[in-house]
Amino acid sequence: MALGAVAVTAGAGLGLGLWISGGDGNAADSFPDDAAAPSATPSPSRSYPMSRAPRTIPAVRSFAAARGPGWRPAHGERVVVGDASLADEGRLVAGELGLTYAGQQKDARAGDVRLERGGGSGGNPESYTMTVRDGRVTIAGPSDTGVFYGTRTLKQEVHGAGAAPEGVVQDAPAKPRRGFMLDMARKFYSADWIEDRIRELGDLKYNELGLHFSDDQGFRIQSDTHPEVVSQEHLTKAQVKQIVSLAAGRHITVVPEIDSPGHLGAVIAAHPDLQLRNAQGAPTEGAVDISKPQSAAIVDDLLKEYAGLFPGGFWHLGGDEYQALTVRDPEASYPQLAAAARRAYGSGGTVADLTTGWLNGRADTVRAHGRTPRAWNDGFFRGTSVQPAKDIEVAYWTGKELGARPPSDYLAEGRKVINYNDEYLYYVLGEPQTFVYPTGKRIYEQWTPRVIRGTDAVPARYDGRILGGSFAVWSDRAGAQTQDQVAAGIRMPLRATVQKLWDPGQPQLSWPEFKALAQKLG
């Protein structure tokens, strides 16, 4: 997306906390040495230098510079809204900047911050225009989300420079999905920690939080339909509702994941009769026997139960690493699955067909609740007579599985893909196997949303089918880091990732400059 303007900024920085007020109660008593302190209102007798583009994370896409005093928050100034639907955004930014929220107002006063519907860029609902002129700030967008992002830019400007520069910001993300995924099944994370990440993500203009809350090691959310599967350390539904509400206030959709038919060890622990066993009777780790109707029934019970807890439009079904398909001859190793496949799909039915049918069945369950399903790429198989439903989004994370398909295969057949590239975007606790902790520097300098597998980009013609990306924390060795260490370790990778999702082009700031700016702004 190209947004033309007089001056363009790509360097960025973000303060996640509030600006610091001085002794007189006003924000930002002093300006940095390279910024001129604006007066409360323009003075015709004063000549102002051309304004400088703001620095934010992610960097604003375009900035039209102007001569003028800019805007800085002062005691008694107001945040007003032109539409009642913007009340939450108005109250939030007023509290953050120490201003008075005055609600819906038609009059205009010096020093006002006004939030309005309208404006934006190219019909993108997440776009916004921020105009600083005549001692006032106007943030307009086609949706509440766009306006919210404008308030994040204003907050960052005030935190970083004490003021918003005179001129016009026009901004919009390149990619509609900008996510962070947390494996809270293998390692329990407190509600407070998750809420802190939501505030961080909101200020960085992320719009998805994935919660992988069921796996072999734990099931971490209260259940009323199957309380027997829930781990001792878990979140209550009341806590989850608070998390979902806080996320919604930051325009973040919480995307739940109950991975199946593999990674169900916590469910199997309470229902050992559902565990998959091979022809010799040996149990298969984490896998349920999908030839048994009870396996689908318990998973569907849980999907239906949590549909009311997570009201967002998306659901991650998992679908990866079903161990029955990692052996040389699945039909010989698991004759009960082979028999079920033939009953369902005829004499040529295979275990891969049966597993694809399982995925489609779970997609039907969440689709009935208005959700768009998502699954890991290794839940999509080559050469099956049964095809995954077309609306199941591909969460592409690896190309290391048996029969791996390159990202271009999915894109060429018209599927929508979300980039979870494990080469750059996987923070795996304890660094097992070949994983190493990702660095913000490597993401910032090398990765783009088109780099889906390994280090090579897919052809540009597929860019429109790449919905975005997600940085993921996996808790394979839960004790390797504390919650605080995880938060510190992902700090710069999160900032680098969202910069490249908002604008995949070459950033203007070098990595040392970007890192120093982020460090300065907190």
Side-chain angles (χ1 to χ4, degrees):
M1 180 182 300
L3 301 174
V6 174
V8 178
T9 175
L14 171 65
L16 297 176
L18 304 184
W19 48 268
I20 306 300
S21 63
D24 63 359
N26 291 336
D29 288 322
S30 60
F31 276 62
D33 293 340
D34 61 353
S39 58
T41 57
S43 170
S45 64
R46 182 175 178 182
S47 177
Y48 294 97
M50 191 66 73
S51 61
R52 297 183 181 185
R55 288 185 170 185
T56 60
I57 292 180
V60 300
R61 304 294 296 280
S62 80
F63 176 70
R67 297 184 187 276
W71 177 90
R72 67 183 293 176
H75 181 71
E77 290 177 347
R78 311 182 305 174
V79 174
V80 300
V81 299
D83 189 295
S85 69
L86 298 171
D88 289 344
E89 289 74 20
R91 290 190 182 95
L92 179 62
V93 74
E96 291 169 332
L97 299 183
L99 306 177
T100 299
Y101 176 67
Q104 204 168 355
Q105 301 288 340
K106 293 184 178 180
D107 67 315
R109 297 182 188 175
D112 275 357
V113 174
R114 185 173 188 83
L115 311 183
E116 295 181 338
R117 294 291 294 270
S121 173
N124 187 328
E126 294 187 302
S127 66
Y128 67 92
T129 301
M130 184 170 73
T131 303
V132 179
R133 184 182 297 141
D134 299 329
R136 302 184 185 93
V137 179
T138 301
I139 299 172
S143 72
D144 296 0
T145 301
V147 173
F148 171 73
Y149 292 150
T151 68
R152 299 307 85 195
T153 294
L154 180 62
K155 177 184 176 182
Q156 294 167 36
E157 289 175 330
V158 170
H159 184 87
E166 196 87 2
V168 180
V169 168
Q170 288 186 306
D171 203 11
K175 292 298 179 184
R177 307 282 185 83
R178 303 174 302 281
F180 168 63
M181 196 227 75
L182 178 67
D183 170 15
M184 54 176 285
R186 293 178 176 91
K187 178 182 178 69
F188 177 75
Y189 292 84
S190 70
D192 287 345
W193 190 92
I194 296 171
E195 289 176 6
D196 284 344
R197 300 290 73 70
I198 289 170
R199 296 182 184 96
E200 181 179 14
L201 296 171
D203 280 354
L204 289 168
K205 302 187 177 86
Y206 279 89
N207 62 4
E208 279 194 5
L209 168 63
L211 294 181
H212 176 95
F213 65 90
S214 169
D215 212 302
D216 295 344
Q217 296 80 359
F219 192 103
R220 302 295 183 178
I221 294 178
Q222 173 189 350
S223 171
D224 299 319
T225 61
H226 290 282
E228 72 280 2
V229 307
V230 179
S231 302
Q232 183 175 359
E233 278 192 306
H234 65 272
L235 298 179
T236 67
K237 287 189 173 180
Q239 289 174 315
V240 173
K241 287 178 181 178
Q242 175 61 32
I243 286 168
V244 170
S245 175
L246 180 66
R250 266 67 176 178
H251 297 266
I252 295 170
T253 299
V254 180
V255 181
E257 181 189 355
I258 298 177
D259 201 347
S260 76
H263 293 281
L264 282 173
V267 172
I268 292 169
H271 296 272
D273 55 306
L274 299 182
Q275 185 160 31
L276 178 65
R277 294 179 179 273
N278 66 14
Q280 290 71 46
T284 302
E285 183 180 4
V288 294
D289 188 336
I290 59 176
S291 71
K292 295 182 176 182
Q294 302 95 317
S295 295
I298 191 170
V299 173
D300 283 348
D301 284 348
L302 294 166
L303 294 175
K304 293 172 185 177
E305 176 181 0
Y306 292 118
L309 192 60
F310 296 100
F314 309 107
W315 199 288
H316 203 317
L317 296 170
D320 63 313
E321 298 181 325
Y322 188 50
Q323 296 301 306
L325 291 168
T326 64
V327 297
R328 179 173 298 179
D329 189 343
E331 285 70 35
S333 296
Y334 297 96
Q336 77 276 35
L337 299 184
R342 291 192 296 271
R343 288 194 300 271
Y345 305 113
S347 60
T350 65
V351 174
D353 288 326
L354 190 69
T355 308
T356 303
W358 169 281
L359 179 64
N360 286 339
R362 309 297 71 73
D364 289 343
T365 300
V366 300
R367 196 183 296 111
H369 292 273
R371 308 300 194 271
T372 297
R374 183 181 307 175
W376 298 111
N377 64 284
D378 50 334
F380 296 74
F381 310 109
R382 290 181 185 270
T384 54
S385 61
V386 181
Q387 293 297 306
K390 287 294 185 182
D391 66 335
I392 302 176
E393 297 173 348
V394 180
Y396 199 102
W397 71 281
T398 189
K400 302 181 180 73
E401 76 276 13
L402 292 174
R405 300 170 61 194
S408 57
D409 276 14
Y410 302 94
L411 296 164
E413 64 187 36
R415 289 195 179 274
K416 295 178 179 178
V417 173
I418 302 172
N419 188 331
Y420 289 76
N421 188 336
D422 66 343
E423 178 75 21
Y424 292 95
L425 306 180
Y426 262 35
Y427 191 95
V428 186
L429 297 194
E431 300 181 306
Q433 301 173 18
T434 60
F435 288 107
V436 295
Y437 291 128
T439 66
K441 181 178 189 293
R442 191 161 182 253
I443 296 167
Y444 189 78
E445 294 181 340
Q446 300 178 20
W447 180 80
T448 75
R450 284 174 45 211
V451 180
I452 300 175
R453 169 177 163 179
T455 59
D456 296 326
V458 299
R461 65 181 178 273
Y462 295 132
D463 187 65
R465 295 175 188 165
I466 302 169
L467 297 174
S470 183
F471 188 86
V473 169
W474 292 99
S475 306
D476 288 42
R477 295 177 180 169
Q481 290 191 343
T482 66
Q483 290 186 149
D484 288 345
Q485 288 172 324
V486 173
I490 66 177
R491 183 178 178 276
M492 289 307 300
L494 281 177
R495 283 152 178 76
T497 300
V498 81
Q499 173 60 44
K500 303 303 280 290
L501 289 169
W502 196 267
D503 183 353
Q506 181 66 33
Q508 289 189 5
L509 290 184
S510 68
W511 171 252
E513 290 170 331
F514 184 85
K515 184 178 180 181
L517 187 59
Q519 181 65 29
K520 170 187 173 184
L521 296 174

